[in-house]
Amino acid sequence: MDNSNKTDISLLVTSDIHGYIYPTNYSDHDDRNFGLAKLSTLIKQKRQKDNLLLLDNGDLIQGSPLTFYHAKYQSTTANPLIKVANELGYLASVFGNHEFNYGQEYLQNVINQSEFPWLSANIVNQNDGKPAFGKPYIIHKVKNISIAILGITTHYIPNWEDPKHIKGLVFQDALESTKGWVKHIHENEQPDVVVVSYHGGFERDIQSGEPTEELTGENQGYQICMEVEGIDVLVTGHQHRALANKINGVTIVQPSNNGQLLGQVDIEVEKRKNECVKRINCSLIEIDDSVKVDKQVVDLVKEYEEATQVWLDKPIGKINGDMTISNPFSIRLQDNPLIEFINKIQMDIANVDISNTSLFNNTSPGFKSNVTMRDIVSNYIYPNTLKVIRISGSDIKQALEQSASYFIINADGQIDVNSAFINPKPQHYNYDMWEGIEYELKITNPIGERVTKLNYQGEPIDYNQDYHVVMNNYRAGGGGNFKMYQGKPVVQDIPTDMTELIANYILNRKTIEATCNHNWKVVR
């Protein structure tokens, strides 16, 4: 290349930061190699090079105790994540699905405080069909090079989110929106480089093209690479994967979650008389022990962090008995005090006698004898609310079969976790355990035929009868391929966060007895 006509551009990418600034694990105070305070050190080092752009791909403002505490108790103050993002000089951010978890008023405050635009071309107003939050894309000039950055958000959000939080919004198909907007950008802007920043992931194996999940439309990254012409770079997220590769000539990058990795896309552009020659490479930079914390970022949010830590250490009550977790897999094989406790809380609050819940991930510690808010947010990591929906006995059977697909029989003849619930993204939260019914799952039976016992109040459940069941709002909307729940009547909507409900339940009773009635089990 003739260096006189060549422009080098570095695009740094973050995604799924989920409210992590300090490199601290909130459940045990241990330091971790993640968070914006460490990323900032790396970003500022790289800013010494010319032509560096910084882009966030969504799920920035939700996901840690820091963000939960701010949303619930400090929402009238400046948002700590936005204070840091402004300091880092982001060029733009894309809306992720979790941006909507605290409602549109909270989100609008975030947008107003941001010194950078928020992008999403496919989230539109219900009344006029125009992009709901302003800019669908931006055009950024680097010397004589024009870069278009288009924001796209997974359109599957209505399947999870509280309807009140997305009232008046329409989530258009991500793939079709990308096609239309990329065409529009090429025709009207004639950019030299097109970057699509998509808060969504890949529905197929990036090498073989084989489906890796049920093709619901939640993730369409592979289709976008294969079907949309004129994209140079596809930034992805949502699945929390570490990816830096190419699909069909499109450079793809996905930098994991919580600020563990920094994505870097290096773009060389040479403008010739009749063409624009581009060389694009991508990489992932790991945040390790050698990367120190940026004190300036730490100081920016010190008061927020200290208030959160005080709140986390607030005593709530006591547990008599054992609700700790030593083996998360065993928790999912037979009834246990922790899951029974969460289900009992849900049934008590909703005043119904059937409930389901999950052990969300394999790092949940359970409850020790002395319970604090830290213990609660360490176990219940999502800002879920509760819904009671009316479903039939047949729906309950189908839901249990869906949960039973979590298991397989491995080569040693033992019960194991189905790889579909681990790769490409761990989805342990999509296996439910129930209270109020008695059931048995036999894993040597074929998938779809594993429920060998299903009773309600001591008698076989009536498949034609309707039952009121309480569950979290994500599941009640059909999230996790529980399609049997979609469109079912909502009998009761309980809008308070489950962490608050758990805390209040323990505070009111002061001492909780760990009980286990062994109403279900998984057998070989």
Side-chain angles (χ1 to χ4, degrees):
M1 278 189 176
D2 179 359
N3 287 342
S4 62
N5 294 322
K6 181 171 76 79
T7 302
D8 292 332
I9 302 162
S10 286
L11 174 66
L12 301 182
V13 176
T14 60
S15 189
D16 298 270
I17 293 295
H18 284 295
Y20 279 88
I21 299 174
Y22 277 56
T24 304
N25 182 14
Y26 285 99
S27 63
D28 57 18
H29 284 293
D30 283 355
D31 283 346
R32 298 282 194 273
N33 287 317
F34 59 40
L36 285 175
K38 282 206 165 194
L39 279 180
S40 176
T41 298
L42 204 53
I43 291 165
K44 287 180 178 178
Q45 287 172 359
K46 289 181 174 293
R47 276 210 186 276
Q48 296 171 16
K49 178 183 175 182
D50 291 337
N51 307 337
L52 186 136
L53 312 178
L54 179 61
L55 175 68
D56 183 73
N57 190 55
D59 280 3
L60 176 65
I61 64 167
Q62 180 281 333
S64 71
L66 174 73
T67 59
F68 180 89
Y69 184 77
H70 181 266
K72 294 302 170 185
Y73 304 108
Q74 296 181 318
S75 61
T76 58
T77 67
N79 189 290
L81 271 298
I82 301 308
K83 287 186 74 167
V84 173
N86 288 338
E87 162 71 17
L88 291 180
Y90 276 91
L91 185 64
S93 183
V94 173
F95 292 96
N97 51 297
H98 285 288
E99 256 70 61
F100 296 91
N101 284 170
Y102 300 134
Q104 288 189 56
E105 183 179 352
Y106 186 86
L107 179 54
Q108 191 58 56
N109 286 335
V110 163
I111 296 167
N112 293 343
Q113 293 170 32
S114 300
E115 295 171 4
F116 50 87
W118 285 78
L119 309 177
S120 187
N122 67 314
I123 304 176
V124 302
N125 288 316
Q126 191 173 34
N127 55 1
D128 60 13
K130 293 180 180 178
F133 298 98
K135 297 192 177 209
Y137 65 89
I138 58 171
I139 302 294
H140 187 74
K141 288 276 191 179
V142 178
K143 296 182 179 177
N144 66 332
I145 303 302
S146 173
I147 302 172
I149 300 177
L150 172 67
I152 298 288
T153 305
T154 176
H155 63 257
Y156 212 62
I157 290 173
N159 290 281
W160 312 308
E161 191 53 73
D162 187 326
K164 294 191 297 294
H165 293 166
I166 54 175
K167 186 177 180 181
L169 300 177
V170 174
F171 295 81
Q172 296 178 334
D173 184 275
L175 173 66
E176 295 306 318
S177 294
T178 304
K179 286 180 181 177
W181 279 102
V182 168
K183 185 171 185 256
H184 169 89
I185 289 168
H186 276 290
E187 290 176 352
N188 293 276
E189 308 285 359
Q190 292 88 46
D192 300 302
V193 179
V194 173
V195 176
V196 174
S197 189
Y198 167 49
H199 190 85
F202 294 96
E203 72 282 27
R204 295 177 182 272
D205 182 275
I206 65 172
Q207 303 292 345
S208 68
E210 290 297 311
T212 53
E213 62 186 34
E214 191 171 342
L215 301 179
T216 61
E218 176 180 346
N219 299 298
Q220 297 176 300
Y222 190 88
Q223 267 187 293
I224 288 172
C225 289
M226 298 303 291
E227 296 184 24
V228 184
E229 292 186 10
I231 299 175
D232 296 299
V233 179
L234 180 67
V235 176
T236 60
H238 187 53
Q239 291 175 317
H240 301 181
R241 298 168 70 183
L243 298 172
N245 214 313
K246 287 184 185 284
I247 298 176
N248 194 31
V250 179
T251 300
I252 64 160
V253 64
Q254 185 175 146
S256 187
N257 65 306
N258 294 2
Q260 299 176 80
L261 300 172
L262 181 65
Q264 180 164 335
V265 182
D266 293 313
I267 306 168
E268 292 182 355
V269 184
E270 182 187 12
K271 279 196 169 183
R272 298 175 181 171
K273 187 174 181 180
N274 297 316
E275 63 178 333
C276 181
V277 178
K278 290 169 277 191
R279 293 177 182 170
I280 304 175
N281 295 296
C282 61
S283 58
L284 296 171
I285 305 160
E286 185 178 358
I287 308 304
D288 58 23
D289 290 337
S290 69
V291 181
K292 303 305 179 186
V293 166
D294 181 349
K295 187 175 183 301
Q296 192 170 1
V297 166
V298 166
D299 288 346
L300 265 180
V301 295
K302 186 177 180 181
E303 291 183 9
Y304 298 88
E305 180 73 14
E306 288 176 349
T308 302
Q309 293 290 353
V310 169
W311 172 71
L312 285 170
D313 288 327
K314 179 182 176 183
I316 300 296
K318 293 185 176 295
I319 304 290
N320 274 348
D322 187 7
M323 281 195 199
T324 58
I325 298 174
S326 57
N327 183 342
F329 183 69
S330 68
I331 293 284
R332 300 184 178 102
L333 292 177
Q334 59 184 345
D335 193 21
N336 63 87
L338 175 68
I339 297 301
E340 183 167 302
F341 174 55
I342 300 300
N343 274 321
K344 282 167 70 174
I345 292 172
Q346 293 186 174
M347 291 189 293
D348 179 79
I349 289 160
N351 195 29
V352 298
D353 63 358
I354 306 178
S355 171
N356 64 53
T357 192
S358 304
L359 182 67
F360 292 127
N361 63 35
N362 286 343
T363 61
S364 295
F367 291 120
K368 296 170 286 189
S369 57
N370 293 307
V371 181
T372 65
M373 280 303 304
R374 190 181 304 279
D375 298 315
I376 292 172
V377 299
S378 297
N379 285 284
Y380 210 101
I381 60 175
Y382 297 114
N384 289 336
T385 59
L386 296 179
K387 289 186 187 292
V388 178
I389 60 174
R390 187 168 69 243
I391 58 176
S392 68
S394 176
D395 293 326
I396 292 174
K397 164 78 159 50
Q398 289 180 53
L400 288 170
E401 294 288 3
Q402 174 61 31
S403 277
S405 69
Y406 177 81
F407 299 107
I408 57 165
I409 300 296
N410 64 23
D412 297 326
Q414 301 301 310
I415 299 175
D416 207 343
V417 180
N418 185 340
S419 63
F421 286 78
I422 301 173
N423 298 310
K425 173 184 176 180
Q427 297 181 50
H428 302 295
Y429 51 81
N430 284 330
Y431 169 72
D432 288 337
M433 294 158 278
W434 293 61
E435 192 67 30
I437 55 174
E438 303 85 46
Y439 64 94
E440 181 177 284
L441 307 179
K442 186 174 177 62
I443 308 308
T444 49
N445 285 1
I447 286 177
E449 302 174 23
R450 290 177 166 180
V451 179
T452 53
K453 171 187 172 184
L454 178 52
N455 291 346
Y456 172 68
Q457 296 182 348
E459 299 292 333
I461 202 164
D462 185 341
Y463 288 160
N464 297 312
Q465 183 178 327
D466 285 340
Y467 301 87
H468 291 179
V469 181
V470 61
M471 61 190 77
N472 69 60
N473 60 302
Y474 170 78
R475 187 69 80 238
N481 295 325
F482 285 78
K483 294 181 178 178
M484 70 292 301
Y485 298 149
Q486 290 180 344
K488 293 301 163 71
V490 177
V491 178
Q492 190 182 167
D493 185 0
I494 301 162
T496 307
D497 289 275
M498 264 301 286
T499 47
E500 262 184 76
L501 295 175
I502 295 168
N504 288 336
Y505 186 92
I506 299 173
L507 279 167
N508 290 338
R509 288 158 180 79
K510 295 184 174 57
T511 300
I512 303 295
E513 299 291 333
T515 63
C516 186
N517 60 11
H518 302 288
N519 64 301
W520 64 272
K521 63 181 176 179
V522 176
V523 299
R524 194 183 163 282

